[in-house]
Amino acid sequence: MPTPLSIPLPGRPGDPDAALVLREMWTAPAMHRLTEANLDRLREFEHWAHAEQTLRSQQAYTRQQLLDWVDGRAVPMVIECDGELVGSVGARIDRWDNTAEIGCWIDAAHQGRGLVLRAMRRMVEHLFDDHLVARVEARTSAHNPRTRVLNERLGMLHEGTLRNASQVGTERHDVAVWSILRPA
Ligand SMILES: CC(C)(COP(=O)(O)OP(=O)(O)OC[C@H]1O[C@@H](n2cnc3c(N)ncnc32)[C@H](O)[C@@H]1OP(=O)(O)O)[C@@H](O)C(=O)NCCC(=O)NCCS
């Protein structure tokens, strides 16, 4: 494995060592295995998880995300904890509106440890400080209680709910729109 391009995640004393790592091609096999292992819970809320998951599709996604990163239109990162890849945090950037949309998921065994909060805080800071976006948005399934708590802890505002706006497998979901603005 090459030395990853990584940003350490600040934490409190006792928190596990963790970092945001650029989603380079070498991450694809591990992220494919992690996706497969979490597929049932991902399919509850993530529409993309309903597509067939293969190593090839993971590699294609990784390559496309990296090209978008080079163009300044995405920030594709994975969460590393104690040397292991345990989740995903990504952002899409709209250069015309100067906004970003973030998304995330984490392995079941690492859920509820505050890792996603640390990762998302650092990602939001990176988007404001280094990409100079004016607004960071999250669109999440309205009946996902963990994302509601996460977005509140990130200091996001729930702006409203788009009714029946997303197809997740065979179900329609209401989509909650959350945002945080770059501090003046
Ligand atoms: C949504 C999801 C990413 C949230 O992950 P998470 O692990 O719950 O989020 P956090 O990292 O913020 O963890 C918060 C929990 O860690 C606990 N925690 C432990 N140490 C902590 C610390 N230092 N700081 C903050 N929280 C800490 C909190 O008390 C909280 O526990 P609680 O849930 O019992 O209240 C995760 O549930 C997931 O991957 N779900 C499946 C996919 C999904 O829902 N996708 C939609 C995403 S838009």
Side-chain angles (χ1 to χ4, degrees):
M1 182 184 99
T3 304
L5 187 57
S6 74
I7 307 174
L9 293 179
R12 293 184 300 210
D15 281 347
D17 276 347
L20 281 181
V21 170
L22 184 65
R23 195 178 189 118
E24 292 178 73
M25 289 309 288
W26 64 264
T27 66
M31 292 309 290
H32 172 59
R33 284 193 296 277
L34 203 66
T35 305
E36 291 260 274
N38 285 277
L39 209 49
D40 287 347
R41 53 192 285 277
L42 290 172
R43 282 184 171 164
E44 263 189 74
F45 299 113
E46 306 272 13
H47 63 95
W48 59 263
H50 288 267
E52 191 191 1
Q53 303 297 317
T54 62
L55 177 57
R56 213 172 253 265
S57 65
Q58 183 72 230
Q59 286 165 332
Y61 174 72
T62 305
R63 183 172 292 111
Q64 188 56 54
Q65 286 285 298
L66 281 169
L67 288 172
D68 288 348
W69 179 67
V70 169
D71 289 340
R73 290 191 282 115
V75 185
M77 308 297 274
V78 292
I79 306 173
E80 187 245 52
C81 180
D82 294 330
E84 200 189 332
L85 302 187
V86 299
S88 166
V89 171
R92 274 201 304 264
I93 299 175
D94 181 327
R95 281 287 156 214
W96 290 106
D97 285 329
N98 206 24
T99 59
E101 185 180 338
I102 51 175
C104 61
W105 62 270
I106 193 158
D107 178 41
H110 297 272
Q111 182 173 267
R113 301 176 69 197
L115 281 168
V116 180
L117 182 64
R118 289 167 65 195
M120 291 286 260
R121 271 200 184 127
R122 191 63 190 87
M123 174 63 93
V124 170
E125 197 178 82
H126 174 62
L127 291 164
F128 285 150
D129 294 352
D130 303 318
H131 289 271
L132 304 178
V133 302
R135 165 190 165 96
V136 175
E137 188 175 299
R139 291 181 176 233
T140 60
S141 186
H143 58 270
N144 187 339
R146 294 198 87 89
T147 50
R148 166 171 282 276
V149 173
L150 176 70
N151 293 340
E152 283 168 353
R153 284 182 174 139
L154 280 169
M156 293 186 124
L157 181 73
H158 179 207
E159 296 181 325
T161 298
L162 308 176
R163 295 175 300 160
N164 227 16
S166 171
Q167 182 79 40
V168 182
T170 56
E171 292 175 10
R172 299 293 304 171
H173 283 202
D174 291 350
V175 173
V177 180
W178 296 77
S179 78
I180 183 166
L181 306 185
R182 188 166 79 214

